[in-house]
Amino acid sequence: MDWLFIVKPADTAPDGGSSDKDHMLHLAESAPRQAWCLSRWRRMAPGDRLWIYFASPVREIAAVAVIEDEPHEVTGSPRQPWRFTATLDAAATRRLHRDPVPLRALSNQHPQGVTRVKDADLGLLLRHAGL
């Protein structure tokens, strides 16, 4: 399954840095395995892909990761009580960084939270990522 994961540059990246696309590319090349946070449980499974949608300043998908484990609940984080591990795909993220998929090219023009990628959009994402 493929998931759309929305971030904003002002948000904190998994490693504590900025969630901008340049930093995400740096993570993909230097420390690709990261713990990610969710506010609600999702039916994610190992092998699912996580497409990273950058909500600003330009609305585009410019990174992709592979999910390693199912989300599990953790205590002490009421806003984002669910965690999972995913590894950024360095080669695909480099390609997406150079040739991101703009939101206007997707059938889902108003993504909310973490959502499944629509079948109509998957081929475009895969082409841009070289997968």
Side-chain angles (χ1 to χ4, degrees), residues 13-15 22-34 88:
D15 73 334
D22 292 334
H23 184 73
M24 202 67 68
L25 176 61
H26 172 73
L27 282 180
E29 294 174 334
S30 63
R33 189 171 191 266
Q34 297 287 326
L88 288 156

Side-chain angles (χ1 to χ4, degrees), residues 11-129:
D11 291 345
T12 303
D15 73 334
S18 167
S19 282
D20 67 25
K21 75 178 200 174
D22 292 334
H23 184 73
M24 202 67 68
L25 176 61
H26 172 73
L27 282 180
E29 294 174 334
S30 63
R33 189 171 191 266
Q34 297 287 326
W36 298 75
C37 304
L38 295 168
S39 59
R40 293 182 19 204
W41 182 79
R42 298 287 189 255
R43 292 187 185 271
M44 296 174 169
D48 287 359
R49 278 184 297 255
L50 191 68
W51 298 91
I52 316 301
Y53 164 64
F54 297 87
S56 65
V58 179
R59 296 173 179 208
E60 60 193 11
I61 296 171
V64 65
V66 176
I67 296 171
E68 293 185 17
D69 57 12
E70 294 180 17
H72 56 278
E73 195 167 13
V74 297
T75 57
S77 182
R79 288 186 55 226
Q80 295 181 317
W82 297 92
R83 301 279 189 280
F84 64 97
T85 303
T87 299
L88 288 156
D89 181 322
T93 296
R94 272 193 296 279
R95 287 189 284 276
L96 283 165
H97 188 270
R98 282 191 311 267
D99 187 22
V101 177
L103 178 64
R104 70 182 179 281
L106 300 178
S107 62
N108 184 359
Q109 294 286 301
H110 306 287
Q112 305 262 333
V114 177
T115 185
R116 290 184 183 151
V117 170
K118 295 186 181 261
D119 290 340
D121 297 330
L122 186 56
L124 177 65
L125 294 170
L126 292 168
R127 278 192 304 281
H128 277 254

